[in-house]
Amino acid sequence: MGLDSVQLTTFAAVVNEGSFEAAARTLHVTSSAVSQRIKALEQVVGQVLVRRTKPCEATEAGQALLRLAGQVALLEHEALRAARGPLAGGAVRTRVAVVVNADSLATWFLAALTELPPEFTVTFDLREDDQDHTAELLRDGSVMAAVTAQNVPVQGCRVERLGAMRYLAVAAPRLATRHFPDGPASAAFAAAPMIALNRKDTLQHRFLNRVTRRRLDPPLHHVPSAWGFVEAVRLGLGWGLVPEQIALDDIAAGRCVELAPGRHLDVPLYWQHWRLDSAILNALTGAVQTAARSALR
Amino acid sequence: MGLDSVQLTTFAAVVNEGSFEAAARTLHVTSSAVSQRIKALEQVVGQVLVRRTKPCEATEAGQALLRLAGQVALLEHEALRAARGPLAGGAVRTRVAVVVNADSLATWFLAALTELPPEFTVTFDLREDDQDHTAELLRDGSVMAAVTAQNVPVQGCRVERLGAMRYLAVAAPRLATRHFPDGPASAAFAAAPMIALNRKDTLQHRFLNRVTRRRLDPPLHHVPSAWGFVEAVRLGLGWGLVPEQIALDDIAAGRCVELAPGRHLDVPLYWQHWRLDSAILNALTGAVQTAARSALR
């Protein structure tokens, strides 16, 4: 097809940075140069590739090219490093874009990044999303890998099981005493305030269905931050499902009590990544698997 | 104008819940009932109010009605509580939607919510956004109040200063030794990896400009979670600006060191809220001001 690699890089920068101006700054060229390259690429492909919104987005036609641009950049970077030797490679950094579910990002995932051998000069462009929605960013080419609950491989991706994140239902002692004096009864769960991250987060509802075998609709707060969520539970705003590691610490410290001892929710997590023979992607996959083995079940 | 309050509530539920189906579940009616009410409301107003996207969004015409719906719901709730007495009010909960910048949500804000007198039976629908972008949700009617860096009042809103959140530039000792052996030199800041929450987060760049008086473009990681950001700094992925309270703890514990002692960045924060004589909004404003006084400068 003979696509111009400068045009491709420019296109990826516009989508990744969100605007023609930001892409121009990153690439150290003028905005009009960016604009001309995008127009030229769109003419070659015969499709509109960038939706000129705020932020700019890849069109459906653009998504295939966005992934291609990321893959070419990764392979080019590795070929150059191999050709020039590891010392010269230090100046060029490759962008490694990964989407991670909120609870993994707040607990075990970051340690994996620091385990990457130092010869890989990369910058991480992490995204956070609900574990049931992470695959969309893989599909549209914005990220090269995902920590996700979705085990059906996205086209062109490989899936590996990481283990399960276990959640326990906990609440502040004050809230538990007030709303659950007789333990985890259905009537108590129907009336006690509950916390979820946001509308996409259905963990609490799934746990409720399983424990009470009823479809309950309790008062619901949204606290859209993994850390804020845990803090809100500790402060007694409502009960919620907290990753086991944090929950056990909080229970031991007396900050929280378990609402339904012996009951839990396990969420299997997967590592989906581009099917690409890349040293960086392979090393990252190894580091993520190692970190997951010690943190997940 | 004589708008039907059931139609108005239904419209708000569609936008707040994100779909006709979710609104139907919340309101305990069928999807087709929701659909009919929205169509009827759109006919009365003479404008399309809901963009049928995933999630559903209010059109520009819809935004004015969304705010109206929220205000009417708040006032109705308070009038009913006053008419029926506080005990009867317990069954009905009012949705209180507030957008909060990520660092406030991760530090001082949640404590304010638990200080609300218990007679207010509300559910909190919190949103998280960058402090420079929070006003958009106020403008489009999705939230009734915001913790924001924007001090220009959104139309129909009142602004009160909360104080400044102070940020210190910190890094893991290992990273500081490697990249800043001679202190906060411009050359060091140009080469040391830096972390930002995401593209909207310009705090680090602002600090760099101020301290080095140069426009630097260092290697940049994005870690889009307030807690993940702090963890990434501690793990040595890069340096970053961390809220003073957390930074001082980390420095005292030896987890981090300050990169430019004596230098900081203060971000003034404001409380913007609907201009509405509502007991709940007044109580929330009081609680937020109290919490801010002890946490901000």
Side-chain angles (χ1 to χ4, degrees), chain A residues 16-18 25-26 28 93 95 105-107 110-111 113-114 118 122-128 174 178 191 193 197 199 215 217 219-225 227-229 231-232 235-237, chain B residues 16-18 25-26 28 93 95 105-107 110-111 113-114 118 122-128 174 178 191 193 197 199 215 217 219-225 227-229 231-232 235-237:
Chain A
N16 293 332
E17 300 297 322
R25 271 199 303 278
T26 310
H28 305 289
R93 283 186 171 250
R95 176 177 165 276
L105 190 58
T107 53
L110 288 167
L113 302 187
T114 58
V122 300
T123 54
F124 294 106
D125 188 7
L126 304 185
R127 313 282 187 98
E128 182 184 69
R174 190 164 51 95
R178 180 167 165 209
L197 277 174
R199 273 166 198 83
R215 219 192 145 79
D217 193 16
L220 176 61
H221 301 291
H222 287 131
V223 181
S225 139
W227 189 246
F229 179 92
E231 272 295 301
L235 285 167
L237 196 66
Chain B
N16 293 331
E17 300 297 323
R25 271 198 304 280
T26 311
H28 305 288
R93 282 185 172 253
R95 175 177 166 275
L105 191 58
T107 52
L110 288 167
L113 302 187
T114 58
V122 300
T123 55
F124 293 106
D125 187 7
L126 303 186
R127 313 282 188 95
E128 181 183 72
R174 191 163 50 95
R178 180 167 165 211
L197 278 174
R199 271 164 200 85
R215 221 193 142 80
D217 194 14
L220 177 60
H221 301 293
H222 286 132
V223 181
S225 138
W227 189 247
F229 179 93
E231 271 297 298
L235 286 166
L237 196 67

Side-chain angles (χ1 to χ4, degrees), chain A residues 62-295:
Chain A
Q63 291 175 4
L65 284 197
L66 186 60
R67 192 195 285 203
L68 173 69
Q71 295 184 335
V72 169
L74 199 59
L75 296 175
E76 263 189 16
H77 175 82
E78 295 182 356
L80 281 178
R81 268 193 61 242
R84 291 176 181 162
L87 285 175
V92 191
R93 283 186 171 250
T94 308
R95 176 177 165 276
V96 172
V98 182
V99 61
V100 183
N101 68 304
D103 285 328
S104 293
L105 190 58
T107 53
W108 63 274
F109 182 78
L110 288 167
L113 302 187
T114 58
E115 292 304 315
L116 263 199
E119 67 262 30
F120 293 112
T121 47
V122 300
T123 54
F124 294 106
D125 188 7
L126 304 185
R127 313 282 187 98
E128 182 184 69
D129 205 350
D130 186 83
Q131 58 237 1
D132 298 320
H133 298 78
T134 38
E136 285 152 31
L137 291 170
L138 265 182
R139 203 167 292 124
D140 75 12
S142 337
V143 300
M144 59 181 70
V147 176
T148 173
Q150 296 176 296
N151 63 346
V152 179
V154 170
Q155 206 208 330
C157 289
R158 191 172 293 143
V159 184
E160 293 160 43
R161 194 176 194 283
L162 290 174
M165 181 163 265
R166 175 161 292 184
Y167 290 87
L168 304 180
V170 297
R174 190 164 51 95
L175 185 128
T177 310
R178 180 167 165 209
H179 286 282
F180 297 89
D182 306 315
S186 292
F189 274 119
M194 183 168 96
I195 314 182
L197 277 174
N198 50 41
R199 273 166 198 83
K200 290 177 178 177
D201 172 16
T202 58
L203 278 191
Q204 278 68 219
H205 282 104
R206 271 191 263 165
F207 183 82
L208 268 191
N209 288 353
R210 193 182 291 181
V211 170
T212 67
R213 299 183 179 280
R214 288 172 55 195
R215 219 192 145 79
L216 300 175
D217 193 16
L220 176 61
H221 301 291
H222 287 131
V223 181
S225 139
W227 189 246
F229 179 92
V230 171
E231 272 295 301
V233 169
R234 291 174 183 157
L235 285 167
L237 196 66
W239 70 272
L241 286 178
V242 170
E244 183 182 37
Q245 290 174 312
I246 301 172
L248 292 177
D249 279 354
D250 280 353
I251 293 166
R255 281 189 294 267
C256 287
V257 296
E258 200 175 349
L259 288 185
R263 305 302 295 262
H264 57 257
L265 195 74
D266 281 348
V267 176
L269 292 176
Y270 302 87
W271 176 242
Q272 288 220 19
H273 59 88
W274 289 346
R275 233 176 246 286
L276 192 72
D277 187 22
S278 144
I280 289 177
L281 205 42
N282 291 345
L284 183 60
T285 296
V288 167
Q289 282 170 332
T290 305
R293 251 195 303 278
S294 64

Side-chain angles (χ1 to χ4, degrees), chain B residues 94-119:
Chain B
T94 308
R95 175 177 166 275
V96 173
V98 182
V99 60
V100 184
N101 67 304
D103 285 328
S104 292
L105 191 58
T107 52
W108 63 274
F109 182 77
L110 288 167
L113 302 187
T114 58
E115 291 305 315
L116 263 199
E119 67 261 29

Side-chain angles (χ1 to χ4, degrees), chain B residues 103 131 165-169 203 241-244 264-265 267:
Chain B
D103 285 328
Q131 59 239 0
M165 181 162 265
R166 174 161 294 184
Y167 291 86
L168 304 180
L203 277 191
L241 287 177
V242 170
E244 181 183 39
H264 58 258
L265 195 72
V267 176

